Amino acid sequence: MKKRYAVVGTGGRAEFFYGAIVKDFQETSELVAICDINQTRMNYTNQLLVDKYEYNAVPTYKADQFEEMIRNEKPDYVIVTSVDRTHHTYIIKAMELGCDVISEKPMTVDEEKCQEILDAIKRTGRQLRVTFNYRYAPHNTKVRELIMDGSIGDVHSVHFEWLLNTEHGADYFRRWHRDKRNGGGLLVHKSTHHFDLVNFWLGTRPDTVFAMGGLMFYGRENAEKRGETKFYQRATGNENAKDDPFALLLDTNKHLKGMYLDAEHEDGYQRDQSVFGDGISIEDTMGVMVRYKNKAILTYSLNAYMPWEGFNVMINGSKGRIELRVVEKSYVNSGGDKADEGALKAKSIKVFPMFAAPYEVEIEELAGGHGGGDPILLRDIFDKASDDRFARAASHVDGALSILTGIAGNISLRTGQPVAVDKLVTF
C-alpha cells in the first residue's frame, strides 16, 4: 500500500520533496494534500504539479486548517518545510494526530521548542526524521568511512571552514532568514548541516560550545561605513537596484515571480529585500569552538560574503590527517534547477598518514544536488530498501544534537560565556 504524504509550507524547499514523490516514487508514495499560509503559493504549487510533473492537483489547506487536513486526508507522514520557527508547531500537532513526520533542517530554532518536540515524541510514540542531505554526499560519506575504518586513528581535532558566497550567502539576507527569530541565525539554519556532519563523522556528541560573531558586511550600517549612499528597501522595480550585484529581481525569473511576487499580496512577504537594508538581526561572520564528549575539539568558521562557495575541512587523528576541500556551484534558492543546489565544481580528499606517503582518495561521481547526495537521501526516505553501513538516516536525536550546537553558540554570542549543551534539553 502506498504511503500518504502531506506537505506543510510550499516555499522554496518543498518542491524537493513533493517533486520526488510524484515523479520518482509513485509506486510507493502518494501526495495527498498541501498546506500553507498563502493560497496563491499553493495554487502555483498545484500548477507545477499539473504542468511540470503531469500529476493531479491536490487539496489545499490554509495554515489554520492544518488539523482539518490531517483528519480529512489521513496522511501517514507530514513533511514540514515551513519557516523554521513554525516547525515545532506542525511537528507536534502532526504527531498528536497520529502521523509520523519528516522535517527539513533545522528541526527547530531554540532549546525551548526543541524540548517541546522531544517531549511530544515521548508522549505520542511517533517518529521524526530530519533530512540531512549532506550526510549522503559521496565525499562526506567517504570521510565517515575513512574514520570508521581507522585510517587516521582516533580523531582529536577538526577545523571546519564554510564559505557562503555573494550569491547564495547573500540570499539569506534578502528573505525571512534575515530576522533571527525566524531561523535562529546561520549558526542554526545553515550550520546545522555542518555540526551534524561532525557528529556523524566522529560518532560523538557536543559537550561545550563557545562562539563569537557579528554582522560585519551586510546591513545598512556596514554599507554606509564603506561609503554607500544609494539604498532601497526591495529590489524589484527599484531604480537603485539595477546596478547592484546583490539585487534579486523577482520579475525576471518566472518561478520566483509565481511563487513569491504574485503571492505577496496575501501575506506581505517580500523575497527580494536589500541585503544592505535595516532590520537584519543575524550574523554574517562567525567563529565557534566545540568540545565533544570524546574530548575532540572543533574550530569552526562561517562567513557569508565570500568570493567562492564551499568548504575546507581538516581532521587530525592519532595516526594522521584527512583534508577535504569542496567547491560548490553558486545558486539562489528556487532561482533555477534543483540539481544546482550544492552541486560540485571541484572536490578532493587527501589522507596524510603519520609515517607513510600521503595519498588522494577516489570519490564516486554521482548526479544530483548536494554532490549527488540528494537522490540517495530521497531513496532512503521514500523507498527504504536496504541497510546502510554508515547509518546516514538522521533521527530526532541527530536533529536535536545538530541544532543544539548552534543554539548553544547563539547563547554564547549573547553572554560571552561557554555553554554546556547537556543543560539545554533533557532527552
Side-chain angles (χ1 to χ4, degrees):
M1 184 179 293
K2 290 184 179 182
K3 295 294 185 183
R4 297 168 62 83
Y5 293 86
V7 175
V8 56
T10 57
R13 191 61 181 159
E15 188 180 354
F16 174 75
F17 296 100
Y18 71 69
I21 291 171
V22 304
K23 181 182 178 184
D24 300 320
F25 300 97
Q26 288 193 44
E27 291 185 7
T28 60
S29 309
E30 182 181 6
L31 181 68
V32 298
I34 53 178
C35 178
D36 201 292
I37 61 171
N38 193 299
Q39 186 64 49
T40 303
R41 191 169 299 119
M42 288 193 287
N43 294 343
Y44 180 71
T45 298
N46 264 331
Q47 181 185 332
L48 288 176
L49 286 169
V50 172
D51 295 344
K52 181 176 178 179
Y53 293 102
E54 299 180 349
Y55 196 72
N56 54 277
V58 298
T60 63
Y61 292 83
K62 296 293 284 291
D64 60 356
Q65 300 173 305
F66 179 76
E67 294 184 27
E68 181 183 342
M69 176 184 74
I70 302 297
R71 288 193 297 269
N72 290 351
E73 309 301 338
K74 298 179 174 56
D76 299 296
Y77 292 88
V78 172
I79 300 174
V80 179
T81 51
S82 57
V83 173
D84 297 348
R85 64 175 164 76
T86 66
H87 283 188
H88 72 297
T89 300
Y90 296 117
I91 290 169
I92 293 167
K93 280 185 181 179
M95 291 192 295
E96 289 175 343
L97 292 168
C99 301
D100 290 326
V101 180
I102 297 166
S103 176
E104 179 55 69
K105 62 81 200 162
M107 191 172 85
T108 188
V109 298
D110 60 41
E111 66 273 31
E112 290 89 357
K113 294 180 178 67
C114 183
Q115 188 68 65
E116 288 180 38
I117 292 171
L118 297 175
D119 291 345
I121 291 170
K122 289 180 185 176
R123 187 170 67 249
T124 64
R126 306 310 306 187
Q127 291 189 329
L128 169 63
R129 178 162 180 181
V130 184
T131 54
F132 287 116
N133 44 14
Y134 273 104
R135 288 183 171 209
Y136 294 82
H139 48 278
N140 293 331
T141 302
K142 180 58 72 173
V143 171
R144 162 89 158 161
E145 181 180 6
L146 289 166
I147 293 172
M148 286 174 65
D149 292 349
S151 66
I152 60 168
D154 297 327
V155 174
H156 297 316
S157 69
V158 179
H159 177 68
F160 197 136
E161 176 192 29
W162 196 281
L163 299 86
L164 290 166
N165 72 357
T166 50
E167 184 174 18
H168 181 212
D171 208 35
Y172 294 108
F173 298 82
R174 298 185 186 109
R175 44 191 178 138
W176 54 262
H177 308 74
R178 65 195 271 140
D179 185 338
K180 198 164 188 176
R181 296 171 298 180
N182 288 333
L186 292 178
L187 279 186
V188 174
H189 177 84
K190 182 63 181 175
S191 301
T192 183
H193 269 313
H194 316 148
F195 298 141
D196 175 70
L197 278 178
V198 179
N199 296 343
F200 171 66
W201 286 335
L202 274 56
T204 188
R205 295 183 172 202
D207 181 75
T208 307
V209 179
F210 180 74
M212 303 178 80
L215 183 65
M216 300 184 184
F217 180 77
Y218 297 110
R220 181 162 181 145
E221 185 178 2
N222 290 319
E224 287 174 339
K225 287 177 182 177
R226 294 191 295 269
E228 183 60 57
T229 57
K230 292 171 67 175
F231 292 95
Y232 57 90
Q233 192 275 323
R234 54 120 25 116
T236 304
N238 194 299
E239 195 68 27
N240 281 353
K242 285 187 175 179
D243 298 321
D244 182 5
F246 290 92
L248 180 68
L249 304 177
L250 298 180
D251 54 358
T252 63
N253 183 297
K254 183 180 178 182
H255 191 56
L256 291 173
K257 180 178 183 297
M259 183 171 286
Y260 297 110
L261 186 61
D262 294 346
E264 66 184 41
H265 67 278
E266 283 195 45
D267 54 24
Y269 174 55
Q270 294 178 341
R271 172 68 177 78
D272 60 341
Q273 296 172 78
S274 169
V275 301
F276 300 117
D278 290 318
I280 297 174
S281 56
I282 64 172
E283 300 81 17
D284 57 21
T285 308
M286 287 144 282
V288 182
M289 289 196 71
V290 184
R291 181 180 286 281
Y292 291 86
K293 294 292 187 183
N294 68 351
K295 306 303 181 185
I297 297 168
L298 168 70
T299 54
Y300 173 81
S301 170
L302 176 65
N303 293 276
Y305 44 89
M306 295 294 97
W308 62 275
E309 177 101 1
F311 60 105
N312 296 306
V313 178
M314 280 67 76
I315 304 173
N316 304 304
S318 59
K319 295 181 179 179
R321 171 181 171 98
I322 296 170
E323 294 185 359
L324 168 64
R325 177 180 171 88
V326 173
V327 180
E328 296 187 350
K329 288 183 181 178
S330 184
Y331 72 94
V332 170
N333 188 276
S334 292
D337 190 336
K338 284 287 174 191
D340 286 341
E341 297 191 9
L344 303 189
K345 294 175 70 175
K347 60 187 180 297
S348 69
I349 299 176
K350 293 182 180 178
V351 178
F352 296 81
M354 193 171 284
F355 298 110
Y359 59 93
E360 191 149 342
V361 177
E362 187 175 344
I363 306 169
E364 191 177 5
E365 289 280 355
L366 295 175
H370 293 97
D374 286 354
I376 307 172
L377 167 68
L378 290 168
R379 275 200 309 274
D380 201 15
I381 293 173
F382 298 117
D383 189 16
K384 309 171 186 67
S386 60
D387 292 331
D388 179 10
R389 177 195 171 199
F390 305 111
R392 287 172 289 189
S395 69
H396 67 278
V397 175
D398 299 312
L401 291 172
S402 70
I403 56 170
L404 286 171
T405 306
I407 290 166
N410 280 333
I411 296 170
S412 183
L413 286 174
R414 292 196 302 269
T415 64
Q417 300 297 315
V419 177
V421 173
D422 284 349
K423 293 183 178 179
L424 298 179
V425 300
T426 301
F427 284 94

